[in-house]
Amino acid sequence: MTRRVRRGDRDIQAPDGAIRTLADESSYAVVLTGTDNHIRYVSPQAVQITGYSADELVGMDPFTLIHPDDQDRMRRLFAALRSRPGATVAAECRALRKDGSLWWAAARGTNLLDDPGVRAIAVTYRDITEKKGSDDLGRTAEEALRASEERSRLILATARQAYIAIDSAGVITEWNTAAQFTFGWTRVEAIGRELAALVIPPRYREAHTRGLKRFQESGEARIIGKRLEFPALHRDGHEFPVEFSISLLRHGSRYSFHAFVADVTARSRLEAALREGEARIRSIVESTSDGIMFVSADGRVASVNGRAQQMLAVEPAAVGGTGFAQALEQIGFGPQDREALSAAAQAVLGGRREDYQGDAELPGRRLVLHWVARAARDTIGELTGLTFTLRDVTQDREVSRMKSEFVSFVTHQLRTPLAGIKWLLELAADATDGQDARTYITDAREVNERMVRLVNDLLDLSRLETGALQVDVQPVDLGALTKSVIAELEPGIRQKGHTVVVTGDAGVPPIPTDARLLRQVLTNLVSNAVKYTPPGGTVRVTMSRDAERVHWSVEDTGIGIPARNIPLLFQKFYRAENALAINAEGTGLGLALARLIMQRLGGDVWCESEEGRGATFFCALPLERRPADHPSVDQARLDR
Ligand code: ADP
């Protein structure tokens, strides 16, 4: 009878019934190995001896059942047997059970490949473990144990880490070479001594003794298996930090403690240095005037320094840990800036760029920020994230905008008169009549004078703005100064048929101030009143004083100023709508200069007006100089 068993892709044949019965009933384990070198059949005894099930054994390579040390020898024998049909060989070998345990087998193999009923190599095994016995195996086990102990001792003795063992009374039983280096005591000196007395600083000895006692009484040992750091005592008396882990060994009723100890002085120092370095960097980051935002490698906001919190008006808790793109939206950047910033972050974090920079606006806060995104790397160059440095450039951008506006203004203001002068001079050169030539030259001189005034105003303005203008303080008679200004402007006043009235000048005492600068203020105010008043108007200059200040006003009956223009009147280059409409010549510098001068002199100037109903400009100057308010005034005198 043939039984077909399917196993994987192979068809294997169980032996013929007679042989199987024989095999099954034999006291030997029988294993049949087919031509494919795999087990085809196993007897129940084989299952019993090996611990594998029949299913597991069938299909297996028979040599996996043999101890690795004996496999080569058995393979050689088996190969020889295969080539000799009908032959039989016998051998003893070590074999392995499924649980890994060892047994000794007496094997006898017969080549029955030629036998049409079998077509296999039949091997019978007998368990001779007992006979091989206690002697052989026992000896091997004992030898193995001894060898392993020897090996352990050697490892411990030569370990680079200190190894100490103590018994239950706390007396040292092992002390390797590294322990000698760590603690200063030799093995001979240490063994037999109490551990506490040798390496534990006095203030911890009692706790150590208590711990040992507790263990003796209750078996409770809190420190076993944990990694601990503690101060230890060196032979020379200095303390140093050690890290150790303790294990417990029981030998029957006795036990011992074993510890590996590492001197971590260097590490502690390094950690302290790291902590110090970190604190230093944190204080630098916090004290810098730049905003700094750190984005981790996974694209999340990791930290925001104080300045950045201030600039972006964010709480670290609100953006910390959130994705960068989300944080940008929360902060209030516009869509375009968000896109640029995110793209920069991606390029840097993706390793495509080392740095990136640009400007971004916070419209809600009227801020322009210049940002630089730079890859942050650790000491071995690995990318750890990216640093965003933010600088408030709102003012810089405003200044450069104003500069370009200024340049275009000045160019415009100078080009027209220059072209005029050129034209007048050409006419004068070509004139055949001497009188004509003189008229052209006089006109050219006038235009030229206007240009000189403009340039002087600009120069004064810039000196006042930068604080470079020197103030020469002398007692000044305001009434006399006003009259002299009016006399100078007389031709224009007369031309327009204005009446000019000065009152109150007798009651005003001399003021300690700079006559040249004050004259400039008065000239600007009176000439504006003349200029912005239609012919036949009245210009009134009124003076008075109180306990602290001298006041005066310049009032006219002219075009006045629209209410909405008044707040901007004292800005550079600013001209009211109605003044532009009547096309009166002007630069918008006179009032800006007047305000800067009055401030510099410690006084004030302001305006009240109604459109179409004239304008009044008010001024005030202190009766006494307050040097504290204007240190540069004193400084200017000292400098001379
Ligand atoms: P400018 O007179 O050269 O234009 P100012 O700085 O002196 O420049 O004056 C600024 C603007 O203030 C003038 O352009 C004008 O609109 C307005 N302004 C000044 N003074 C008067 C005034 N007395 N009446 C009406 N508008 C005036």
Side-chain angles (χ1 to χ4, degrees), residues 577-589:
E577 299 156 26
N578 58 343
L580 287 169
I582 62 166
N583 218 2
E585 212 170 75
T587 58
L589 287 176

Side-chain angles (χ1 to χ4, degrees), residues 18 21 31 48 97 140 241 296 309 321 327 364-365 396 452 504 537 594:
T21 316
V31 173
Q48 206 182 333
R97 295 193 187 89
T140 317
S296 57
Q309 290 167 33
R365 315 196 56 225
D396 299 0
V452 170

Side-chain angles (χ1 to χ4, degrees), residues 62-129:
F63 291 99
T64 48
L65 295 168
I66 291 169
H67 189 283
D69 290 351
D70 288 349
Q71 269 183 18
D72 274 358
R73 183 166 57 90
M74 294 307 280
R75 273 185 206 278
R76 277 198 303 276
L77 277 176
F78 195 81
L81 182 62
R82 267 184 81 95
S83 59
R84 289 165 50 211
T88 296
V89 293
E92 286 181 358
C93 69
R94 282 168 295 179
L96 292 172
R97 295 193 187 89
K98 189 182 179 182
D99 64 8
S101 59
L102 194 120
W103 61 286
W104 275 96
R108 172 183 283 271
T110 307
N111 183 336
L112 296 175
L113 289 169
D114 271 2
D115 189 319
V118 185
R119 297 215 180 278
I121 291 177
V123 185
T124 62
Y125 295 96
R126 198 156 46 89
D127 185 350
I128 54 161
T129 311

Side-chain angles (χ1 to χ4, degrees), residues 508-512 545-550 621-625:
V508 175
I511 328 167
R545 63 162 290 183
D546 60 21
E548 288 167 5
R549 305 209 288 182
V550 170
L621 268 184
L623 276 168
E624 285 185 22
R625 272 181 63 243

